[in-house]
Amino acid sequence: MKKTLYSGAAILALAAGSAQAQELIFPVGEGDFAWDSYNAFADEYDLSGQTLTISGPWIGDDRDLVDTVFAYFEEATGATVEYAGSDAFESEIRRASQTGGLPNMAVIPQPGLLADLAAAGDVAPLTDEDAAWIEENYAAGQSWVDLATSENEQAGGEALNGFFYKVDVKSLVWYSPPVFEELGYEVPETMEELLALSEQAVEDGFAPWCIGLGSGDATGWPATDWVEDIMLRTQSLDTYDAWVSNELPFDSEEVVNAIETFGEFALNEDFTGMSGAEIVNTDFRDSPDGVFEIPPQCLMHRQASFIPTFFPEDAEYDFFYFPAFESEDLGSPVLGAGTVWAITDENEASRAMIEFLKTPVAHEVWMSQSGFLTPHNGVNTELYANDTLRGMGEILLNATSFRFDASDLMPSEIGAGAFWTGMVEYLRTGDAQAEAASIQSAWDAIK
Amino acid sequence: MFDSTIVSGILTIIIGVGGMLAYFWLSNLVLDKVIFPPKGKNIGRNINRANAVRPWLFTFPAIFALGLYLVVPVFYSIWLSVTSGVAQDGWYRNYEQIFLNQTFRVSLLNNLLWVLVVPAASTFFGLIAAQLTDRLSWGNIAKSLIFMPMAISFVGASLIWSFVYHPDMDIGVINAIRGLFGAEDGVTLIDGQVIDSFLLMVVLIWIQTGFAMVILSAALRGVPEDTVEAAIIDGANPFQVFFRIKVPQIRGTIMVVWTTITILVLKVYDIVAAMGNQYRNLEILPTQMMQYFDAGNYGFATAISVVIMILVLPVMFWNIRQARAEMR
């Protein structure tokens, strides 16, 4: 009798869990979505009663958005997706890797972390067909395959460890068009013009730049993007690659110069209206708010393509490409990053999810809402929610020189540790040479 | 409605408690009926032996769990610290590298400051609070107020104090007070100067004073009245009664409180992680350890954990000895 009571309660509990499945945000068959790909996928898989656990860095709005994508996967396969997001995802997945409890899949924002997990035997390798599919269907496909390929303990050698989905373009400057219009400012085409515009803003009584480095455990990372973008604008691609692999030491003149160029923006109180310590204490999610206040606290914000997710609701915004120095003659490089999906505890549903991510619909559902870019060249770019996203999507699809976020490629001890701390300390002390040397010594220590 | 976590929680409790009851019942049954049955020609010896074994039966689950979750990890950590990461080139290399690291030395110094300041301040304030609240009619209310921070998690307390220190004059209490005296702009109180460590220590002192107060208050009540009366008759003033008569008699308790807080301070991590962000100058050993752990460098992380353990051990032995002496 008791037994039946408990199992009854357990079944009820399970049923209550799966009843949460969301409704589909775009009805299947309506609009210019690639529904054929979705229907073909739905016909192929029946995973009723199975559960797919996923953990990743998406929280807040991004979490709601990814849930709308999962709804299609659940509808198509009958499986239940349990997603857990965390802003300390990197630490948590490492802990899970050491102590057990890995989810079926992990959405990893740093290829270095993916490589660590794969080397530790926690990642099931993807197949050669997956690699061929990415090369064929992603813009600059080979580079996405290369970025996710490294030593995999389970494969016993080099293997493709992950699938990129949701990519960010980082070399962007956000502003408020009405404010620019009011002040009679033109979008700058070169770095020289951008600096002149900043000076002009100071003269007109505005702080031109909003910068915030606060990000909980990850405080400091927004500054690394600045330094990387500046590296691409002052050095050749080869030098950039040498920096990533530490063939070019961190405290070499080229890197120190890039840090100091960042300092010309961030350590200039006229430019930011804040002390270095205040910049460190400002959360990066709140830092662009000043652009949209009336009167504006600041005029421009350099940040990746995901940032409009955190803009105030009714913000009128546009972006321009963080320009290159006319005097340097290095073309127009683009810095970017992305999240990569890995199978960390294989089951049938996780393989199905990789197949699902190949369908254009899995990309189109998110891109037609907000904050999502994809190098998938099979999607209908008309579906981007607005011109801003479409413009960035085109930058991505047409990238001539594209480089991945350097800190995400460095060993995580540097790229997600010493580099962050070094930048925080640089804003405090203003001593680029000393901080670069300290980052280099941290790198030497792990060699 | 049913929630699967509640159901599984209830099931866990039923299985856990039932399992324990079954363990004690069965193991005693086996002991009494099979191994040392209280009958036959050895009845007296068997009863004595069964009684000698019985305490071990009761403590075995605790000893086993403690061994599994405490002792094994300690040895595993030591093992990792001499084999993992750069230690592959020599067992001492992880230790060598962390001691060469500037940030590690800063952490060590900061930890020393924490250990010197926090237990002393908490014990001192706790002692004063215990004595002062003893005589007040509303002493129990005052005591509850001082004790309340004990109920707040370290991260919660850090958040509260982040608001106290907030640079915005509309949020930060300290800056608001400065504003009352005519200050125009808020100052950033925590900006990575070494001195900021003291601002973080305040949080822990705020939490631990209540703990010290409760223990010391009980001890003060245990001071024999006749010694106090004798002192008063001899003409001692209240200060002399407190510092010369009462405090020496509760010295043992003060030491236990002091060392208990010292051990806690050596383990504190949350406050610096929540408030010190990434400032190198505010690092302490546990935050350093966690950073290496998060970066996947288990060699350095375990080396630091071993250093922390070595620092805690003497304090712990002393604490246990004092506590035992107290109990006698």
Side-chain angles (χ1 to χ4, degrees):
Chain A
M1 179 60 213
K2 253 191 184 163
K3 229 180 202 168
T4 30
L5 197 77
Y6 289 137
S7 48
I11 288 164
L12 258 176
L14 289 173
S18 58
Q20 293 162 355
Q22 258 191 321
E23 284 193 16
L24 303 181
I25 184 163
F26 306 109
V28 175
E30 283 177 33
D32 287 332
F33 293 83
W35 293 122
D36 292 348
S37 69
Y38 171 79
N39 290 329
F41 173 77
D43 289 344
E44 198 172 331
Y45 289 94
D46 178 15
L47 306 171
S48 300
Q50 297 198 30
T51 303
L52 177 63
T53 56
I54 301 171
S55 53
W58 296 319
I59 54 173
D61 290 346
D62 274 341
R63 197 240 141 90
D64 296 339
L65 289 162
V66 77
D67 275 343
T68 65
V69 177
F70 291 150
Y72 286 86
F73 179 79
E74 293 181 324
E75 177 74 21
T77 61
T80 307
V81 173
E82 279 178 14
Y83 172 80
S86 164
D87 63 352
F89 167 80
E90 289 97 330
S91 334
E92 280 164 24
I93 196 80
R94 273 191 198 282
R95 254 163 257 172
S97 144
Q98 280 296 295
T99 59
L102 281 167
N104 295 130
M105 300 187 86
V107 185
I108 299 168
Q110 292 176 338
L113 177 56
L114 173 68
D116 285 356
L117 292 175
D122 288 325
V123 175
L126 299 184
T127 61
D128 291 344
E129 292 85 72
D130 292 327
W133 185 94
I134 295 168
E135 274 175 48
E136 183 139 328
N137 293 282
Y138 269 21
Q142 185 63 48
S143 66
W144 298 112
V145 173
D146 291 346
L147 277 167
T149 299
S150 66
E151 204 63 29
N152 183 309
E153 160 87 21
Q154 287 186 24
E158 290 243 313
L160 176 66
N161 299 315
F163 189 98
F164 274 94
Y165 170 87
K166 189 177 191 291
V167 169
D168 290 321
V169 174
K170 298 205 163 202
S171 308
L172 303 172
V173 179
W174 300 86
Y175 69 102
S176 161
V179 171
F180 264 48
E181 207 169 300
E182 177 88 20
L183 293 169
Y185 292 171
E186 299 266 324
V187 167
E189 305 267 323
T190 64
M191 187 60 88
E192 286 85 352
E193 285 179 27
L194 181 64
L195 286 165
L197 179 69
S198 304
E199 297 289 353
Q200 180 65 43
V202 172
E203 246 170 72
D204 294 344
F206 293 98
W209 293 95
C210 275
I211 306 175
L213 302 192
S215 183
D217 268 1
T219 296
W221 73 260
T224 66
D225 285 6
W226 272 89
V227 173
E228 288 153 10
D229 244 339
I230 292 166
M231 277 297 282
L232 285 175
R233 277 153 189 74
T234 52
Q235 303 298 331
S236 69
L237 293 174
D238 287 344
T239 311
Y240 184 88
D241 295 338
W243 175 50
V244 169
S245 60
N246 204 225
E247 279 157 49
L248 178 76
F250 216 106
D251 51 354
S252 63
E253 200 192 328
E254 292 89 336
V255 185
V256 172
N257 277 339
I259 297 174
E260 282 172 345
T261 309
F262 165 57
E264 284 173 28
F265 291 89
L267 285 176
N268 182 342
E269 289 209 20
D270 287 341
F271 270 20
T272 62
M274 286 199 240
S275 69
E278 282 173 297
I279 289 176
V280 171
N281 283 320
T282 304
D283 194 287
F284 80 95
R285 284 157 284 220
D286 301 333
S287 60
D289 288 355
V291 175
F292 308 107
E293 278 171 31
I294 303 168
Q297 294 286 309
C298 53
L299 304 181
M300 291 176 278
H301 183 71
R302 197 223 69 94
Q303 187 51 282
S305 49
F306 68 82
I307 197 70
T309 312
F310 301 106
F311 284 171
E313 202 122 295
D314 50 355
E316 254 189 85
Y317 61 84
D318 202 351
F319 70 96
F320 58 85
Y321 166 70
F322 187 61
F325 284 102
E326 197 174 20
S327 52
E328 297 282 351
D329 193 30
L330 287 165
S332 302
V334 172
L335 180 72
T339 44
V340 56
W341 289 63
I343 300 175
T344 41
D345 181 13
E346 185 168 5
N347 62 1
E348 207 185 331
S350 57
R351 289 286 167 189
M353 180 56 93
I354 294 290
E355 292 306 315
F356 178 65
L357 295 176
K358 291 178 186 171
T359 66
V361 165
H363 301 248
E364 289 168 344
V365 167
W366 198 338
M367 65 193 254
S368 51
Q369 298 179 74
S370 83
F372 185 92
L373 298 176
T374 177
H376 193 313
N377 53 31
V379 299
N380 180 1
T381 53
E382 288 303 310
L383 288 169
Y384 273 117
N386 51 49
D387 291 341
T388 310
L389 285 172
R390 197 169 305 117
M392 290 186 295
E394 271 155 25
I395 291 180
L396 194 60
L397 288 173
N398 301 328
T400 46
S401 74
F402 183 87
R403 277 296 180 272
F404 203 86
D405 185 300
S407 62
D408 289 353
L409 297 176
M410 294 172 179
S412 53
E413 193 153 42
I414 305 303
F419 196 177
W420 293 349
T421 331
M423 288 300 101
V424 169
E425 291 293 321
Y426 171 60
L427 283 197
R428 200 173 69 74
T429 62
D431 189 343
Q433 183 68 50
E435 295 310 328
S438 159
I439 298 167
Q440 181 59 39
S441 75
W443 207 326
D444 290 337
I446 54 171
K447 274 180 184 169
Chain B
M1 279 308 292
F2 286 108
D3 189 302
S4 60
T5 49
I6 292 177
V7 173
S8 64
I10 291 171
L11 282 176
T12 310
I13 290 172
I14 291 169
I15 293 168
V17 174
M20 272 296 124
L21 284 175
Y23 163 76
F24 286 126
W25 185 72
L26 274 176
S27 60
N28 275 293
L29 199 72
V30 170
L31 184 69
D32 289 335
K33 299 276 170 192
V34 183
I35 304 177
F36 298 121
K39 57 188 176 202
K41 62 177 185 228
N42 291 330
I43 176 161
R45 207 185 66 185
N46 274 0
I47 289 175
N48 284 340
R49 283 189 177 171
N51 285 339
V53 170
R54 210 178 310 280
W56 291 102
L57 285 182
F58 275 91
T59 47
F60 171 75
I63 290 173
F64 179 75
L66 218 65
L68 191 64
Y69 291 108
L70 213 66
V71 179
V72 171
V74 165
F75 284 102
Y76 187 54
S77 292
I78 295 172
W79 173 249
L80 276 180
S81 75
V82 294
T83 55
S84 158
V86 291
Q88 281 154 358
D89 313 333
W91 66 269
Y92 56 90
R93 290 268 289 136
N94 281 320
Y95 292 94
E96 183 189 66
Q97 283 297 336
I98 59 169
F99 277 98
L100 284 174
N101 187 334
Q102 170 70 18
T103 318
F104 174 80
R105 294 201 296 260
V106 171
S107 319
L108 205 59
L109 185 77
N110 276 338
N111 244 80
L112 188 70
L113 280 178
W114 278 77
V115 165
L116 288 179
V117 173
V118 176
S122 307
T123 312
F124 179 74
F125 290 130
L127 185 61
I128 300 294
Q131 171 68 11
L132 292 182
T133 52
D134 223 21
R135 307 272 165 213
L136 292 175
S137 56
W138 49 282
N140 281 336
I141 298 171
K143 267 195 192 133
S144 317
L145 286 175
I146 295 172
F147 189 69
M148 238 186 260
M150 277 291 283
I152 300 173
S153 74
F154 285 1
V155 173
S158 306
L159 206 64
I160 292 171
W161 282 86
S162 301
F163 283 127
V164 173
Y165 297 146
H166 201 279
D168 191 327
M169 297 177 97
D170 295 332
I171 300 172
V173 175
I174 290 179
N175 274 308
I177 293 171
R178 288 181 60 257
L180 289 181
F181 290 98
E184 301 266 314
D185 288 314
V187 290
T188 306
L189 286 144
I190 295 179
D191 63 353
Q193 310 293 333
V194 184
I195 195 86
D196 294 351
S197 284
F198 291 95
L199 295 178
L200 306 192
M201 290 177 202
V202 168
V203 182
L204 193 55
I205 295 171
W206 181 69
I207 295 174
Q208 287 300 315
T209 296
F211 162 76
M213 179 195 67
V214 170
I215 309 280
L216 294 173
S217 165
L220 280 176
R221 294 222 170 127
V223 172
E225 269 304 308
D226 42 357
T227 61
V228 176
E229 275 166 24
I232 293 172
I233 290 168
D234 286 347
N237 66 32
F239 282 97
Q240 285 171 322
V241 169
F242 182 63
F243 286 109
R244 298 260 175 94
I245 306 297
K246 285 189 172 175
V247 170
Q249 294 196 60
I250 60 164
R251 240 191 65 198
T253 314
I254 292 177
M255 281 302 142
V256 171
V257 169
W258 192 303
T259 45
T260 305
I261 299 177
T262 304
I263 293 166
L264 179 91
V265 169
L266 281 165
K267 294 190 295 181
V268 76
Y269 158 79
D270 328 40
I271 294 172
V272 177
M275 292 177 79
N277 276 344
Q278 300 277 312
Y279 286 120
R280 209 175 286 150
N281 277 336
L282 305 183
E283 296 266 23
I284 51 173
L285 294 177
T287 57
Q288 268 283 92
M289 180 186 82
M290 286 309 295
Q291 271 181 21
Y292 283 124
F293 190 87
D294 288 347
N297 190 329
Y298 306 118
F300 289 176
T302 49
I304 294 180
S305 78
V306 170
V307 171
I308 296 173
M309 192 179 72
I310 290 170
L311 293 177
V312 174
L313 275 181
V315 192
M316 211 136 100
F317 277 123
W318 198 42
N319 177 281
I320 293 171
R321 247 186 48 190
Q322 287 285 343
R324 282 197 164 168
E326 274 295 280
M327 274 191 285
R328 256 182 232 129

